[in-house]
Amino acid sequence: LAAALAAALGAAAWALMVALTNHSIGIAAVGLGFLAGRLVHRFTGGQRGVFQAVAAGVAVVVALAVGKYAAFAYLLHRDAEHRFGALGGRYYGYLSGHTWNLFHSHLGSEFSAFYLLWVGLGIAAAWRIVGPTTKLG
């Protein structure tokens, strides 16, 4: 439940950030990792482990993927409506097959290697909060 909440909040925050700034700010993925880790930590009563860390990591990935699509759809819809009027806006609706096909054709640029580095850092942030601890010695 905590991971689903983190994914939903993270996706909304990511889409809002891109809609307001017209930029993906990679370090925000680390913030999503902290959000997911803290929510999972709180909802599990402070328990740490692989399951909690994987749930928080999946929440980060889902939040970023859904947030990326939502931002892409918003910007495409906004620009189509501005350029072609209401008809363009309807053609490139948020859940339109046309929007999805265009997003799918741009996956390489939307999820570049540099972006995937930020995703990894977001997962690492979540892992540090709820992952299992190791004892030395």
Side-chain angles (χ1 to χ4, degrees):
L1 182 62
L5 178 61
L9 290 173
W14 190 270
L16 183 63
M17 173 191 66
V18 174
L20 293 175
T21 67
N22 284 332
H23 296 288
S24 289
I25 303 168
I27 198 157
V30 176
L32 293 180
F34 283 121
L35 171 69
R38 293 300 302 156
L39 283 174
V40 169
H41 188 263
R42 184 163 181 85
F43 275 55
T44 61
Q47 292 180 358
R48 299 175 64 104
V50 173
F51 177 76
Q52 291 86 347
V54 169
V58 168
V60 170
V61 171
V62 169
L64 291 171
V66 172
K68 269 281 199 189
Y69 176 78
F72 181 90
Y74 169 78
L75 294 174
L76 180 63
H77 175 79
R78 181 194 69 189
D79 292 349
E81 196 169 57
H82 181 262
R83 189 164 185 183
F84 303 111
L87 183 60
R90 281 194 302 275
Y91 187 79
Y92 288 112
Y94 296 104
L95 299 176
S96 157
H98 303 290
T99 301
W100 176 255
N101 289 339
L102 197 56
F103 180 73
H104 189 262
S105 69
H106 285 87
L107 283 179
S109 61
E110 289 295 321
F111 296 99
S112 67
F114 188 65
Y115 180 78
L116 294 178
L117 170 69
W118 288 112
V119 173
L121 291 172
I123 293 169
W127 186 277
R128 297 274 299 158
I129 295 170
V130 293
T133 58
T134 57
K135 295 185 172 91
L136 299 175

